[in-house]
Amino acid sequence: MKPKILVTGGTGYIGSHMVVSLIEAGYEPIIFDNFSNSKRSVIGRIEQITGHKPKLIEGDIRNEKELSRVFEKYQISSVINFAGRKAVGESEVDPLLYFSYNVEGTIVLLRVMKKFGVKEFIFSSSATVYGDPGYDEFDEETPLSPINNYGQSKWMVEEILRKLYKAEPDWSIAILRYFNPVGAHPSGLIGEDPSGIPANLMPFISQVAVGRREKLRVFGNDYDTRDGTGARDYIHVLDLVDGHLAVLKAMNHKPQLLTLNLGTGNNTTVLELVHAFEKASGKTIPYEICARRPGDKNACWTNPNKAKKVIGWQAKRDINDMCIDTWRWQQKNPNGYPD
Ligand code: WQD
């Protein structure tokens, strides 16, 4: 019997890649999603890639009744929680939405898990919990000082998990702090499909390359980096999900609270990414240097040693792989997923 893994937000960008990798690794993923930030056509794409149509229960993680249906219907072994909102700018405009989805939703999920005796939980956190400590390389001991509502919401859930584990040490919990996930499955069938104007750099670049956007605005070129533009630790989404598989295997339902940064340890500036994408796509990416974006930090990347030591995982794909895979997805899906 394949272990059943509940994947909340399993039709989203990272969630859908996780579902594909879980199927290929011999698990039975169960998707729970309300499609508030994704399209139903993702399910068919996952089936095209894996030959297996994943089970889906539609619902909102804030709705205890809807969520309980999953645990009544399936013998869930572990939960990976991707469901939530992830746009920094939106979180400043609509904090209630962010604390409702990301904090309230996770509390309801944990409560339902406890009711059904399911105590293995992987949480999708973010490097944004570190804020801007004034230096560029973070490790898991870097002080937490989120500077926007999105980062606050992730930090709040982390705090809840730390307090839950202190009170109930029979939980098996992993907090995974993502740096900058980019890229797409090499089939080009699933990828990042932001709704509206992309807030993040890579999807914006790929939409310029495919002709959906006229030019890229580079938010500042007076940072303390190789070329003055912001530097980040971009990680291929398949490396990211491989990290989740490695954590799942390592946790093995043993009581623990594990916190890991998932990044490559490298960093790439905005203009370096633009040039790498031009090389991968053969397209020119017009850009204009603009003012800095409020809240942006100079540069950040992780020291990747703890994940390597504790779960034997490290990222394998480089920035060119990330650009090539992103471009293949964008070329095949110029307007993203069909409705
Ligand atoms: C990267 C660099 C921008 C867009 C955010 C969240 C983080 C995670 C990833 C969820 C910066 C520059 C960007 C553009 C630009 N999301 N940029 N023009 O801000 O590092 O991280 O997304 O987990 O939590 O905080 O990523 O891709 O938005 O920006 O010049 O149109 O690209 O200034 O230097 P960021 P990003």
Side-chain angles (χ1 to χ4, degrees):
M1 176 74 94
K2 292 178 180 176
K4 290 185 178 56
I5 312 294
L6 171 58
V7 183
T8 69
T11 61
Y13 170 42
I14 302 173
S16 55
H17 287 82
M18 187 77 252
V19 168
V20 165
S21 294
L22 283 168
I23 292 168
E24 291 173 347
Y27 294 94
E28 170 81 61
I30 311 290
I31 294 175
F32 185 78
D33 209 313
N34 66 355
F35 297 104
S36 66
N37 202 17
S38 59
K39 303 265 179 62
R40 291 167 194 285
S41 48
V42 173
I43 301 281
R45 297 294 180 88
I46 293 173
E47 185 176 10
Q48 263 183 278
I49 295 170
T50 63
H52 172 86
K53 185 173 184 180
K55 292 184 175 61
L56 162 80
I57 292 196
E58 190 167 346
D60 188 314
I61 61 168
R62 298 169 296 182
N63 183 315
E64 191 148 350
K65 216 160 129 289
E66 289 175 3
L67 201 48
S68 298
R69 282 172 40 220
V70 181
F71 294 83
E72 283 153 3
K73 188 166 181 186
Y74 300 108
Q75 187 70 37
I76 300 296
S77 166
S78 310
V79 176
I80 308 179
N81 185 32
F82 294 108
R85 308 295 290 205
K86 56 150 270 185
V88 171
E90 186 187 41
S91 78
E92 293 300 297
V93 173
D94 192 349
L96 263 187
L97 181 79
Y98 273 69
F99 294 127
S100 172
Y101 262 116
N102 297 357
V103 184
E104 180 191 353
T106 308
I107 291 173
V108 173
L109 176 57
L110 292 166
R111 240 197 346 245
V112 172
M113 287 176 67
K114 185 173 170 180
K115 189 169 93 179
F116 288 89
V118 179
K119 295 208 156 181
E120 184 157 86
F121 183 66
I122 296 179
F123 176 59
S124 163
S125 189
S126 167
T128 327
V129 299
Y130 294 118
D132 192 355
Y135 48 85
D136 299 338
E137 179 174 280
F138 300 166
D139 64 22
E140 287 81 355
E141 303 316 313
T142 298
L144 305 183
S145 56
I147 54 174
N148 55 59
N149 293 329
Y150 166 71
Q152 281 278 354
S153 73
K154 292 295 185 179
W155 172 80
M156 288 160 90
V157 174
E158 288 199 11
E159 282 295 289
I160 289 165
L161 293 172
R162 285 186 276 271
K163 288 169 170 42
L164 173 61
Y165 183 66
K166 194 161 182 302
E168 299 175 25
D170 61 339
W171 283 78
S172 181
I173 296 170
I175 294 170
L176 303 182
R177 295 173 181 156
Y178 308 162
F179 278 69
N180 288 60
V182 294
H185 190 269
S187 65
L189 288 168
I190 56 174
E192 188 170 9
D193 182 19
S195 49
I197 301 173
N200 294 140
L201 180 62
M202 180 67 107
F204 202 105
I205 289 176
S206 68
Q207 287 191 14
V208 170
V210 83
R212 266 178 78 180
R213 308 278 166 206
E214 189 215 337
K215 67 180 167 190
L216 171 71
R217 292 182 306 149
V218 176
F219 297 141
N221 67 345
D222 56 352
Y223 286 104
D224 176 18
T225 63
R226 288 180 292 279
D227 59 23
T229 61
R232 296 290 184 274
D233 183 339
Y234 297 99
I235 175 171
H236 196 294
V237 63
L238 289 184
D239 278 328
L240 193 72
V241 300
D242 286 347
H244 287 67
L245 287 175
V247 165
L248 207 48
K249 287 195 180 81
M251 288 169 86
N252 196 19
H253 299 280
K254 293 190 297 290
Q256 62 198 299
L257 174 62
L258 178 59
T259 301
L260 292 174
N261 287 357
L262 295 187
T264 68
N266 303 318
N267 69 87
T268 304
T269 69
V270 175
L271 291 181
E272 287 167 348
L273 191 63
V274 167
H275 298 141
F277 203 92
E278 288 180 326
K279 196 165 140 253
S281 63
K283 300 285 183 184
T284 303
I285 307 291
Y287 65 83
E288 176 196 355
I289 303 292
C290 304
R292 288 183 175 195
R293 181 172 64 175
D296 270 354
K297 49 188 166 294
N298 181 61
C300 93
W301 61 87
T302 186
N303 174 325
N305 293 339
K306 183 177 176 187
K308 187 158 183 241
K309 187 160 151 274
V310 172
I311 58 169
W313 168 88
Q314 62 181 22
K316 299 195 295 278
R317 297 164 180 88
D318 65 18
I319 210 74
N320 296 314
D321 300 321
M322 296 176 212
C323 291
I324 289 165
D325 290 344
T326 300
W327 178 234
R328 188 182 303 109
W329 148 257
Q330 190 73 83
Q331 255 195 316
K332 287 184 165 197
N333 306 273
N335 297 308
Y337 288 108
D339 288 324

